[in-house]
């Protein structure tokens, strides 16, 4: 089984370190992982030396995130948010077609991944390892 893990990590924190614990493709689990991350993310080099494949991609940024979250977003930000999700979903779907499943490893990519996986007709999982407090974000997730 081939699984695509989508992350937006600008740095390597504890959760990203756990990606290094993903078994190598030749392990007995039968699961092969590939991590999709932004071009500039240091996770590519971090995982490469540990034998985990990565794909560099540029996904649109989330306008509401720039303002500090959904609760601070203006109405125009929410409209732009929908457009960013749509563009990102199509990008993820193009890559996901070569996989059996997609795992969202970034809170702000959950919608993108779920829609992209649906478009690619593959399974999707969402990892909620992050903490968040916004009411709208909690409802959406």
């Amino acid at each position: 089984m081939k699984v695509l893990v989508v992350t937006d990590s600008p740095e390597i924190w504890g959760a990203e370190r756990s990606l290094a614990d993903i078994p190598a493709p030749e392990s007995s689990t039968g699961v092969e992982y590939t991590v999709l991350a932004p071009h500039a993310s240091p996770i590519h080099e971090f995982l490469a030396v540990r034998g985990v494949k990565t794909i560099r991609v540029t996904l649109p940024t989330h306008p509401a995130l720039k303002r500090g979250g959904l609760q601070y977003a203006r109405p125009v930000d929410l409209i732009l948010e929908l457009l960013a999700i749509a563009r990102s979903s199509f990008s993820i779907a193009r890559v996901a077609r070569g996989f059996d499943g997609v795992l969202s490893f970034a809170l702000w990519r959950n919608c993108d991944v779920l829609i992209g996986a649906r478009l690619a007709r593959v399974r999707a999982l969402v990892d909620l390892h992050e903490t968040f407090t916004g009411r709208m974000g909690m409802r959406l997730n």
Side-chain angles (χ1 to χ4, degrees):
M1 175 180 219
K2 292 172 58 176
V3 176
L4 178 67
V5 180
V6 178
T7 183
D8 260 344
S9 303
E11 295 181 38
I12 298 172
W13 294 300
E16 287 70 27
R17 289 188 188 285
S18 70
L19 289 174
D21 295 332
I22 291 174
E26 62 273 4
S27 75
S28 62
T29 64
V31 180
E32 181 183 332
Y33 294 92
T34 302
V35 176
L36 182 143
H39 283 282
S41 177
I43 202 155
H44 296 286
E45 289 75 24
F46 178 77
L47 293 177
V49 298
R50 288 156 179 84
V52 179
K53 290 188 276 183
T54 64
I55 297 173
R56 293 178 188 266
V57 69
T58 301
L59 297 175
T61 59
H62 286 274
L65 184 58
K66 290 179 186 177
R67 290 213 171 266
L70 292 171
Q71 70 187 56
Y72 303 110
R74 300 172 303 181
V76 70
D77 294 327
L78 297 177
I79 293 168
L80 293 172
E81 189 68 29
L82 293 173
L83 294 173
I85 289 170
R87 287 179 41 228
S88 182
S89 297
F90 283 111
S91 295
I92 291 170
R94 276 193 295 279
V95 177
R97 284 191 177 97
F99 292 84
D100 300 307
V102 184
L103 169 63
S104 175
F105 210 70
L107 180 65
W108 279 90
R109 291 290 175 205
N110 288 349
C111 288
D112 312 25
V113 166
L114 292 171
I115 295 169
R118 175 69 56 105
L119 291 170
R121 294 191 169 125
V122 298
R123 294 183 203 158
L125 295 169
V126 175
D127 175 58
L128 293 176
H129 67 270
E130 302 177 51
T131 56
F132 54 95
T133 57
R135 284 179 294 169
M136 187 180 290
M138 289 178 111
R139 283 189 203 132
L140 285 172
N141 278 293

